[in-house]
């Protein structure tokens, strides 16, 4: 995984780490993101000024701190979106009905950006493999196409905002390296995020059980086929009766089917 660019957490600069991990290079600094945030602040100020610089709303706006950055190094989704526009990329909410988003098979997408309580991180496809590039991790975490579905469902259940990165990502060295030398040994993912204590314990237990050494008792090929079939069945159930299943029950069904297999 040495070829994969992965910035580790420094202060509260997770937005910077998120963007650079997505683009696979040190393309943005905190200073550059601050400049973008200031431009957004000025645009918002000018828009408010149109209502009259003597108005109560305008005076209150001037007294409020910036909504696009703070002294800790946090940057808003507007700043991240503006930074990606430079590369011809767009952020679209995963829950959107945008036809460019493949909800049935998220592995067909290129990357996701996730946010919860001011923390940003990237999940990206490099060559033909998916990686969790969270700056809180010691190193990139390999995720199979099958577990990508469960991981996104887990994040959504925990309250994360998930955005799809739409557009062509820039070419990177890791793409070429992994195309010729894909990573074969899949480290067992740990699906714990910043709010694991608030998650449904049954869901946590099911996820942990599905990732125990029991999966070592079957061949990787058979296991992958079984999980794909279980997830396909769960998606068919979701499409046939979406009004009867909430996100949590859908996740339970997917996990139960994978365990039954």
């Amino acid at each position: 995984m040495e070829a994969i660019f992965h910035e580790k957490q420094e202060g509260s600069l997770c937005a910077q780490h998120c963007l650079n991990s997505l683009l696979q290079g040190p393309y943005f600094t905190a200073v550059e993101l601050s400049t973008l945030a200031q431009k957004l602040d000025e645009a918002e100020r000018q828009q408010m000024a149109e209502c009259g610089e003597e108005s109560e709303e305008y005076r209150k706006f001037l007294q409020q701190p910036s909504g696009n950055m703070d002294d800790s190094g946090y940057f808003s989704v507007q700043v991240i979106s503006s930074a990606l526009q430079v590369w011809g990329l767009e952020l679209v909410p995963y829950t959107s009905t945008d036809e460019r988003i493949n909800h049935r098979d998220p592995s067909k997408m290129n990357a996701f950006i996730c946010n919860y309580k001011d923390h940003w991180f990237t999940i990206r496809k490099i060559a033909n493999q998916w990686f969790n590039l969270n700056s809180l991790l010691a190193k990139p975490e390999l995720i199979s196409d099958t577990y990508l579905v469960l991981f996104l469902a887990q994040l959504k259940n925990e309250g994360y905002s998930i955005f799809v990165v739409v557009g062509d990502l820039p070419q990177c060295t890791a793409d070429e390296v992994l195309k010729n030398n894909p990573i074969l040994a899949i480290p067992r993912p740990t699906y714990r995020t910043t709010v694991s204590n608030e998650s449904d314990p049954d869901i946590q237990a099911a996820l942990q059980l599905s990732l125990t050494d029991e999966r070592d008792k079957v061949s990787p090929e058979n296991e992958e086929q079984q999980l794909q079939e279980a997830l396909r069945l769960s998606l068919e159930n979701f499409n046939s009766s979406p009004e009867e299943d909430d996100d949590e029950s859908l996740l339970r069904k997917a996990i139960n089917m994978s365990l039954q297999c």
Side-chain angles (χ1 to χ4, degrees):
M1 294 191 186
E2 291 78 7
I4 300 175
F5 184 86
H6 178 233
E7 285 189 351
K8 296 181 182 179
Q9 188 73 17
E10 292 184 10
S12 298
L13 297 176
C14 53
Q16 173 192 314
H17 305 323
C18 170
L19 285 166
N20 289 338
S21 294
L22 173 71
L23 300 171
Q24 283 297 285
Y27 294 105
F28 288 101
T29 65
V31 173
E32 291 168 335
L33 293 179
S34 295
T35 300
L36 285 175
Q38 290 169 2
K39 290 181 179 179
L40 289 171
D41 287 344
E42 178 60 20
E44 293 172 3
R45 187 197 67 76
Q46 292 179 2
Q47 185 177 9
M48 291 297 298
E50 294 177 357
C51 300
E53 295 186 6
E54 301 300 323
S55 66
E56 183 67 21
E57 290 79 7
Y58 182 72
R59 288 197 296 269
K60 287 183 178 180
F61 173 81
L62 293 179
Q63 295 173 358
Q64 295 175 354
S66 171
N68 294 302
M69 66 176 180
D70 60 28
D71 294 337
S72 71
Y74 167 77
F75 295 98
S76 69
V77 65
Q78 289 82 5
V79 174
I80 292 177
S81 182
S82 295
L84 291 180
Q85 287 175 7
V86 177
W87 294 85
L89 300 171
E90 181 182 355
L91 280 186
V92 180
Y94 187 43
T95 55
S96 170
T97 56
D98 193 309
E99 61 183 9
R100 294 172 295 177
I101 300 177
N102 191 330
H103 293 97
R104 289 186 58 84
D105 189 359
S107 67
K108 300 298 183 184
M109 310 306 297
N110 292 323
F112 299 90
I113 286 181
C114 309
N115 172 262
Y116 184 81
K117 291 186 176 179
D118 297 347
H119 181 67
W120 297 94
F121 73 92
T122 292
I123 305 171
R124 177 193 155 141
K125 181 190 291 184
I126 300 177
N128 295 315
Q129 296 179 293
W130 281 93
F131 293 88
N132 178 358
L133 302 177
N134 195 328
S135 56
L136 296 177
L137 296 174
K139 61 182 180 179
E141 186 177 78
L142 182 62
I143 304 175
S144 71
D145 290 359
T146 300
Y147 282 107
L148 174 66
V149 179
L150 291 177
F151 190 30
L152 291 173
Q154 166 88 7
L155 292 174
K156 184 179 178 182
N157 180 68
E158 291 187 353
Y160 274 77
S161 297
I162 304 174
F163 300 89
V164 180
V165 180
V166 177
D168 296 326
L169 295 171
Q171 292 294 317
C172 63
T173 302
D175 271 321
E176 297 303 320
V177 172
L178 293 186
K179 281 179 182 177
N180 298 322
N181 300 284
I183 298 175
L184 301 179
I186 302 180
R188 185 172 293 112
T190 302
Y191 292 100
R192 295 179 59 191
T193 47
T194 57
V195 288
S196 59
N197 291 335
E198 297 174 14
S199 302
D200 188 321
D202 292 335
I203 294 178
Q204 287 286 343
L207 281 169
Q208 293 300 325
L209 179 60
S210 68
L211 299 174
T212 59
D213 290 339
E214 289 297 319
R215 57 196 296 259
D216 295 332
K217 296 179 181 179
V218 297
S219 67
E221 295 80 5
N222 290 338
E223 178 196 25
E224 187 72 16
Q225 293 174 359
Q226 292 170 350
L227 287 174
Q228 288 285 0
E229 178 64 14
L231 288 168
R232 182 186 66 78
L233 293 173
S234 68
L235 287 172
E236 288 180 355
N237 290 340
F238 173 74
N239 291 330
S240 62
S241 57
E243 70 281 359
E244 296 178 1
D245 292 326
D246 56 19
D247 293 334
E248 184 173 315
S249 61
L250 175 60
L251 178 58
R252 288 176 184 274
K253 288 182 179 180
I255 295 172
N256 287 335
M257 289 179 181
S258 67
L259 293 176
Q260 289 170 6
C261 290

